[in-house]
Amino acid sequence: MKENNSGLLRRWVRSSLSIVVALALVCVVVLTASTAMLCYSAQRQELRTELYALQQLCKSGSLTPEEALRSYNVMENHWMQLFDLHGEPILTVGAENGVPEAQSDVRNAIKTGEIKWTMGHNAAAHGRVMAMAVPVMDESGTVLGILRGVVRLNETDHAVLLLTGAIVLVAAGLMVILYIIQRFYLRSVFVPITEITTTAKRIAAGSYGVQISRRYDDEIGELADTINDMSNKISQNEKMQSEFMSRVSHELRTPLTAIGGWSETLLSGGGSVDTAEAQRGLSIILRETRRLTGMVEDLLEFTRMQDGRFTLNVAPADLRAEFEDTVFMYGSRLQREGIELEYLENDEDIPEIPCDKERMRQVFLNILDNAVKHGGEGGKITAEMRREDDEVVIRIRDFGCGIPAEELPLVKKKFYKGSSKARGSGIGLAVCEEIVSMHNGTLTLENAPGGGTLVTIRLPIA
């Protein structure tokens, strides 16, 4: 599996897995940034609350800024500082270790008279700190100094780091679980694909008819069914082609034997061959030559169908005239064989239709020839053409024994000959159906009531 499907694995890694990893990284960054922002925002809001309380206490006039600051209960890891308007420290209360020096927050608060805050490393705090400075004013609005709150961020940074690590671990765990699930899923795809590929190679190598076991009821299962169906059809076609080649060889050998034999008789007999015998021999040679010509033409038409060179020369044509000429020409030939070909005339108006009249004449002749071969024992054939709604309908019926019901769906297939003992290549009806289909029409065969076979051709008028 790994060797045969490394391309699919690479594509999966490059596409699906790489996208998922990128999305996971984005999610980790966003969650980490959001967590840090929430934690630091909470610290900033805490400082703001403390400074606002001290600011209001000083503004009430009950206590001086120094008194208010000394009386304030500072939280752990916090400093509260008072600076004069020159930025010099007056008083610091809070954490025991060191005194944070004034930063840009104090200077900016002095300049603007607004609340300012900053974050950065502070040597006195042995780490990062967050500081916020606010002006202290009396009741008249006179600025008395600057209050500054400072909080050590060591614990907050540690908490952010732990949360980030937890997010990364959760994301990594989800990625591992997703990878394992995907591996199982991909294996469920790769195994049947490998089997399908192996079987397809066997079919390509000539093992027609081999089957793939269907493991899943999904697209892969449908693919397996399609390849199984293809394998069966190729096997059937291969068998039919083999039978076809054997039959054609036999069919060709019979007239060639007759032609060769009579030719030798006529040549070797010299003047001893009487006129009647010579005429008989020449008639046989002519008949067998015509039969060979018909078979070769069928084979040529079949070859054109197979390689896509089967084309039409479509032009408006009087199809009734073509049909009647074909029937009357063929009928005179059948009279010598004791078979009646009856044309059922009618007065319906049938307009010219776009078609290839030579191809359609070929269809008529082929169907009439089949009627003689397979139903000639009935002694009669009928032919008619009618207009039904927007279609021209041609019906040709023989009065023979008909076609076995189980063979009806197969008689138009290439190479199929069925139980008939009549001579032929087995591709005539396939060629006829191809021609009719190219005219957007239909060709159907059915057993007629009372016996015999009825062939119906329907062609659109426009």
Side-chain angles (χ1 to χ4, degrees):
M1 182 191 76
K2 184 176 180 182
E3 181 179 331
N4 293 337
N5 297 288
S6 58
L8 287 176
L9 279 171
R10 284 196 299 269
R11 285 170 56 191
W12 174 65
V13 170
R14 283 198 305 264
S15 56
S16 301
L17 191 59
S18 58
I19 292 173
V20 170
V21 169
L23 289 175
L25 289 175
V26 170
C27 291
V28 168
V29 171
V30 170
L31 287 174
T32 301
S34 301
T35 301
M37 188 180 298
L38 286 173
C39 291
Y40 295 132
S41 295
Q43 291 284 7
R44 189 165 62 250
Q45 184 59 39
E46 196 174 80
L47 274 180
R48 186 187 294 273
T49 301
E50 288 185 303
L51 291 173
Y52 182 76
L54 284 170
Q55 191 182 42
Q56 293 301 314
L57 189 60
C58 295
K59 192 173 183 180
S60 66
S62 59
L63 294 173
T64 64
E66 291 87 345
E67 291 173 340
L69 192 56
R70 286 191 180 95
S71 64
Y72 189 77
N73 186 19
V74 181
M75 298 177 63
E76 185 180 358
N77 290 327
H78 282 222
W79 289 271
M80 287 296 167
Q81 296 178 288
L82 179 63
F83 291 85
D84 61 20
L85 297 180
H86 299 288
E88 295 298 328
I90 299 173
L91 179 64
T92 299
V93 297
E96 298 178 357
N97 298 326
V99 177
E101 64 273 13
Q103 300 289 337
S104 60
D105 54 319
V106 175
R107 294 191 295 273
N108 289 332
I110 293 171
K111 289 179 181 179
T112 63
E114 299 174 352
I115 299 175
K116 297 295 180 181
W117 72 279
T118 185
M119 290 177 64
H121 188 274
N122 193 287
H126 304 290
R128 288 189 340 117
V129 297
M130 178 187 291
M132 183 177 291
V134 298
V136 179
M137 295 174 287
D138 58 15
E139 292 180 346
S140 63
T142 303
V143 177
L144 303 175
I146 300 297
L147 273 175
R148 185 191 191 213
V150 182
V151 58
R152 184 186 289 121
L153 295 177
N154 293 2
E155 293 184 1
T156 304
D157 288 344
H158 185 65
V160 170
L161 186 62
L162 287 177
L163 287 172
T164 301
I167 292 171
V168 171
L169 285 176
V170 170
L174 291 175
M175 287 295 298
V176 170
I177 293 172
L178 178 63
Y179 178 79
I180 293 172
I181 293 173
Q182 286 290 330
R183 286 288 296 183
F184 276 109
Y185 167 73
L186 289 172
R187 185 174 181 82
S188 70
V189 174
F190 288 165
V191 170
I193 285 179
T194 301
E195 183 180 353
I196 289 172
T197 302
T198 303
T199 305
K201 288 180 178 179
R202 290 179 61 194
I203 294 173
S207 298
Y208 307 129
V210 295
Q211 298 289 290
I212 304 168
S213 59
R214 178 167 181 163
R215 297 173 181 268
Y216 305 101
D217 189 19
D218 53 14
E219 288 81 358
I220 292 179
E222 291 179 5
L223 176 61
D225 288 343
T226 302
I227 292 179
N228 288 338
D229 185 50
M230 177 192 71
S231 179
N232 285 331
K233 288 182 178 178
I234 292 175
S235 178
Q236 293 171 4
N237 285 337
E238 183 72 10
K239 181 180 178 181
M240 291 174 68
Q241 287 191 44
S242 297
E243 293 176 353
F244 167 74
M245 294 303 297
S246 175
R247 185 164 59 246
V248 167
S249 299
H250 176 73
E251 293 287 347
L252 290 173
R253 186 170 59 249
T254 302
L256 287 173
T257 301
I259 293 170
W262 275 103
S263 297
E264 289 178 2
T265 300
L266 294 174
L267 286 172
S268 61
S272 62
V273 178
D274 60 33
T275 303
E277 187 176 8
Q279 287 291 334
R280 180 187 174 195
L282 290 173
S283 297
I284 292 174
I285 290 173
L286 179 61
R287 185 185 66 216
E288 296 301 323
T289 302
R290 286 174 176 170
R291 189 150 67 89
L292 277 175
T293 302
M295 293 177 63
V296 171
E297 287 177 352
D298 282 349
L299 289 172
L300 288 173
E301 295 290 6
F302 172 72
T303 303
R304 294 189 186 101
M305 283 173 53
Q306 292 295 94
D307 60 19
R309 293 185 293 113
F310 197 81
T311 57
L312 300 178
N313 296 316
V314 178
D318 185 354
L319 195 62
R320 167 176 271 177
E322 297 295 329
F323 184 61
E324 289 177 348
D325 288 348
T326 304
V327 170
F328 291 134
M329 177 191 70
Y330 205 82
S332 60
R333 185 183 121 189
L334 293 184
Q335 285 180 353
R336 297 193 295 268
E337 300 181 22
I339 299 174
E340 178 188 1
L341 176 54
E342 181 182 1
Y343 178 65
L344 306 178
E345 298 188 27
N346 61 76
D347 297 328
E348 295 178 359
D349 179 34
I350 298 178
E352 290 187 345
I353 65 171
C355 66
D356 186 331
K357 61 182 182 180
E358 296 299 327
R359 293 289 188 188
M360 290 308 303
R361 183 186 287 267
Q362 177 185 350
V363 171
F364 301 149
L365 282 170
N366 203 314
I367 293 174
L368 287 170
D369 194 51
N370 275 348
V372 174
K373 287 179 183 177
H374 305 288
E377 71 273 11
K380 182 179 180 181
I381 297 171
T382 61
E384 65 172 333
M385 176 182 286
R386 293 184 175 277
R387 176 174 180 171
E388 296 180 2
D389 298 327
D390 294 329
E391 293 180 324
V392 174
V393 181
I394 300 102
R395 294 185 176 90
I396 298 174
R397 176 188 174 179
D398 64 59
F399 290 81
C401 59
I403 302 172
E406 65 275 9
E407 294 183 11
L408 271 174
L410 305 173
V411 291
K412 292 188 290 182
K413 289 183 176 293
K414 296 186 290 287
F415 314 127
Y416 186 80
K417 197 172 179 184
S419 57
S420 174
K421 302 300 181 183
R423 292 178 176 180
S425 63
I427 58 176
L429 278 178
V431 173
C432 289
E433 184 175 46
E434 180 72 14
I435 294 172
V436 173
S437 297
M438 292 175 73
H439 283 85
N440 299 317
T442 59
L443 186 152
T444 58
L445 285 88
E446 57 188 323
N447 286 320
T453 301
L454 174 63
V455 180
T456 304
I457 300 170
R458 294 181 179 273
L459 299 170
I461 289 178

